[in-house]
Amino acid sequence: MSTRFPIRFDWKDLELILALAETGSIAGAAERNHMVASAVSKRLSDLEQQFGAALVERHARGVRLTPAGEALRARAGHLLDEAHRLQGELRDYASGVTGHVRLFTNISAIVEFLPRALAAFHQIYPGIRVELQEQVSADVAEAVRAGVADLGIVSELPHMPDLAFTPFRQDELQLVVPAGHPLATREQLCFSEALGYPLVGLHTNSTLHGRLTREAAQAGHELRPLVQVTSFDAVCAMVAAGLGVGVVPRGATTPYVQSLGLIGLTLNDDWAQRQLCLCTRANAVGSPAMQMLFAHLRGTSEAAT
């Protein structure tokens, strides 16, 4: 059993640590927090005495955080964000909202599947507010694991023993090329056949970039995108501009493909059929509101099959 010590600091102390890190001075932190410099110094001294460690080093131009101060700063931002979220959720309850769910998901699910599903959920449960945030799949899983997100939607992640994955929807990837491209007359092909042409890709941290990198390596190529962007619509725009070919989800990009006059080609690779999954903490029950949203999304998934 871990030993619990009484907490003798408050939110203002955490705000001061962040202000000291950002301004680099006692006076700057005092001004930002509408305090006098002597009050900031007193709070800082009290904190250092409680922790038994120096939090700042003073120098000619102001102050800098010590390793202990940096550790506190790193946690302070997260704690304050959580406190603000909690405050907002409690105010929601006061105004008649009966639940709050933080749903993190990749862009494919947001564009293809969630608009109708969430609209229907709101009709059934108007008192539950869903806070939706877009992240790459790896970050979604980490947010669920850390409790920052209540529920997530991800694609192709390795097994994680502390998370549970429930099939949600299938997501088909396609290759998009501009009209007149040498591949434009093809209806279907393997991704390896496109590796001889310039590629427009997503940013390095995206799940899809990782998949394409692995597939290129297996085909004896190094994936070196000519351009890397942060969204699928941007991929389509760059392809339309003649900067290369791109791999995008069919359902999420059909409007862009059609409006830009691009050609969508079927990829014969098995991995082009991606499984999107609902992601939750393993063996965690979750709030009633989260359970309702999970059941609703799972139900819409089963209805679509």
Side-chain angles (χ1 to χ4, degrees):
M1 178 182 293
S2 62
T3 302
R4 292 183 178 271
F5 298 98
I7 297 174
R8 295 193 176 94
F9 60 90
D10 58 26
W11 301 117
K12 178 59 72 175
D13 293 326
L14 299 183
E15 290 173 346
L16 288 176
I17 289 296
L18 293 179
L20 285 168
E22 293 170 4
T23 65
S25 72
I26 298 289
E31 181 179 359
R32 179 169 297 187
N33 286 273
H34 308 291
M35 299 171 63
V36 295
S38 59
V40 173
S41 295
K42 179 64 167 59
R43 276 183 173 265
L44 182 59
S45 176
D46 289 345
L47 276 177
E48 291 178 324
Q49 185 174 1
Q50 290 169 29
F51 295 140
L55 299 177
V56 301
E57 296 174 344
R58 289 169 172 80
H59 56 87
R61 296 184 178 179
V63 297
R64 69 171 65 91
L65 297 185
T66 64
E70 284 291 347
L72 180 57
R73 180 202 59 78
R75 294 294 183 91
H78 173 69
L79 289 171
L80 287 169
D81 286 344
E82 285 298 298
H84 290 144
R85 288 193 184 98
L86 177 59
Q87 186 179 51
E89 290 177 21
L90 293 177
R91 285 176 175 170
D92 284 344
Y93 283 109
S95 62
V97 173
T98 59
H100 185 108
V101 184
R102 287 171 290 182
L103 172 63
F104 283 27
T105 173
N106 62 16
I107 186 60
S108 296
I110 287 178
V111 176
E112 292 186 68
F113 308 118
L114 287 180
R116 289 185 179 180
L118 291 182
F121 181 79
H122 181 68
Q123 290 293 321
I124 302 170
Y125 305 105
I128 297 178
R129 187 164 78 88
V130 178
E131 179 186 339
L132 181 64
Q133 188 171 137
E134 177 202 340
Q135 299 281 353
V136 297
S137 290
D139 290 344
V140 171
E142 185 55 39
V144 173
R145 190 209 308 263
V148 176
D150 303 302
L151 179 63
I153 301 178
V154 299
S155 62
E156 75 164 322
L157 288 175
H159 174 67
M160 299 179 182
D162 50 349
L163 296 177
F165 298 95
T166 303
F168 175 55
R169 295 287 183 87
Q170 287 286 333
D171 179 36
E172 180 189 358
L173 297 172
Q174 64 175 346
L175 184 78
V176 290
V177 303
H181 190 276
L183 295 176
T185 58
R186 302 282 298 275
E187 292 185 0
Q188 54 187 353
L189 75 171
C190 292
F191 175 64
S192 59
E193 298 178 74
L195 289 172
Y197 300 93
L199 179 73
V200 177
L202 288 180
H203 55 92
T204 305
N205 292 332
S206 67
T207 304
L208 182 55
H209 176 83
R211 164 59 76 177
L212 297 184
T213 298
R214 293 193 298 273
E215 295 302 323
Q218 289 183 8
H221 290 260
E222 180 183 0
L223 191 74
R224 300 182 65 183
L226 180 64
V227 179
Q228 287 182 274
V229 294
T230 59
S231 64
F232 292 125
D233 57 326
V235 171
C236 293
M238 295 298 170
V239 171
L243 292 172
V245 301
V247 176
V248 296
R250 186 180 298 276
T253 57
T254 294
Y256 307 114
V257 170
Q258 292 176 344
S259 64
L260 295 170
L262 302 179
I263 309 297
L265 310 178
T266 298
L267 288 171
N268 292 328
D269 308 88
D270 291 341
W271 52 266
Q273 298 293 328
R274 298 194 303 177
Q275 177 68 61
L276 298 183
C277 292
L278 299 171
C279 174
T280 57
R281 288 183 293 280
N283 303 317
V285 176
S287 68
M290 189 280 278
Q291 294 179 52
M292 292 176 187
L293 180 59
F294 178 88
H296 176 79
L297 292 177
R298 188 173 184 181
T300 61
S301 173
E302 293 172 349
T305 57

